[in-house]
Amino acid sequence: MAGLFGIGGGMIIVPVLVIAFASQGFSSDVLVHMAVATSLATIAFTAISSVKTHHEKGAVDWDIVIGLSLGILFGAVLGVITADWLSGIWLQTVIGISALMVAAQMGFGLQPKPTRQVPGKAGLAGAGGFIGWASAICGIGGGSLTVPYLTWCNHPMQRSVATAAACGLPIAVVGAVSNVIVGWDNPQLPAETFGYVYWPALLGIVITSVPFARIGAKLAHKLSPQKLKKLFALLLVGVGLKFLSVHF
């Protein structure tokens, strides 16, 4: 689905893992944290091939990646700490709201108008800090935040997508490692976890995600991109409402 709809897999992986972990009877206090951490760990593996492909096409602006990554490293750690501080229900709520926001962005084609230029290192680091923080909380690679930001900065769309993909790698690596550390001694975690990362899910997703992403990408070329985005937006609305239903 990520290959088909053109966004990172976090928005798919996290909801699916939350449902799967709940069905296995894992504690509600930690299962959302596990889903976020495991999602980031899978992105750390799968992003490597994506970055390699974009780099070979010369589409990645590495100066921007480095500038954003200066903030991403700090922001991702802070995001993991924030997620760890939140209860399972409130973390699920944050993810649900995020899903609805991404749904609105994709369904209505919302993109900021290019009204400024790419800032210097300090500005990029500040933006990277926010992107890393929000992405680590939700277990995503940050493309839904990085691409609109670069578009706002008058950066070409194709290069923005490639550059955002490269930024997803440090978000995922730092987020995954931080989740291993903060969850290491949690007594509520089930067996086969490494901190908050659940290894069986990580291995299963990594093994199958790469070949199926290619299938999705090929299928995307045969279907209307506008219809695809609207369909995915509807899916995310369902996910968001399902996650918010814990309060009703």
Side-chain angles (χ1 to χ4, degrees):
M1 295 186 75
L4 181 61
F5 294 113
I7 71 164
M11 277 293 174
I12 297 293
I13 295 170
V14 173
V16 169
L17 288 183
V18 167
I19 295 169
F21 291 164
S23 70
Q24 290 179 263
F26 294 162
S27 170
S28 60
D29 292 332
V30 296
L31 68 84
V32 183
H33 297 80
M34 290 169 56
V36 169
T38 305
S39 173
L40 288 169
T42 63
I43 294 170
F45 283 94
T46 57
I48 294 173
S49 61
S50 174
V51 173
K52 183 175 180 293
T53 301
H54 285 302
H55 175 68
E56 288 173 349
K57 294 181 179 180
V60 180
D61 286 313
W62 288 106
D63 288 342
I64 294 178
V65 173
I66 293 171
L68 287 171
S69 294
L70 294 174
I72 283 172
L73 299 177
F74 173 78
V77 173
L78 184 61
V80 171
I81 294 172
T82 303
D84 185 54
W85 176 73
L86 292 170
S87 68
I89 289 178
W90 281 106
L91 181 57
Q92 187 169 320
T93 301
V94 170
I95 296 171
I97 293 171
S98 300
L100 292 177
M101 292 174 66
V102 175
Q105 178 189 353
M106 295 191 69
F108 296 105
L110 302 178
Q111 288 288 352
K113 294 181 179 179
T115 56
R116 55 170 294 171
Q117 299 300 312
V118 176
K121 289 184 178 179
L124 286 173
F130 175 77
I131 291 169
W133 174 75
S135 300
I137 291 176
C138 297
I140 60 177
S144 58
L145 297 172
T146 309
V147 172
Y149 173 72
L150 292 178
T151 302
W152 180 48
C153 294
N154 214 21
H155 197 255
M157 174 58 73
Q158 187 176 16
R159 298 185 71 82
S160 294
V161 172
T163 303
C167 290
L169 185 56
I171 291 173
V173 170
V174 174
V177 172
S178 298
N179 270 296
V180 169
I181 295 171
V182 299
W184 189 259
D185 294 323
N186 194 314
Q188 293 180 292
L189 290 171
E192 300 177 310
T193 55
F194 196 39
Y196 280 127
V197 177
Y198 186 63
W199 281 105
L202 170 63
L203 293 175
I205 292 169
V206 169
I207 289 170
T208 56
S209 61
V210 175
F212 277 89
R214 291 173 183 168
I215 293 172
K218 289 180 180 179
L219 185 59
H221 289 288
K222 300 178 181 179
L223 301 172
S224 166
Q226 294 303 320
K227 288 183 179 179
L228 285 176
K229 288 188 176 182
K230 287 185 167 101
L231 286 171
F232 189 66
L234 287 174
L235 174 64
L236 288 180
V237 168
V239 169
L241 293 177
K242 172 67 177 177
F243 272 39
L244 292 176
S245 66
V246 294
H247 292 285
F248 301 98

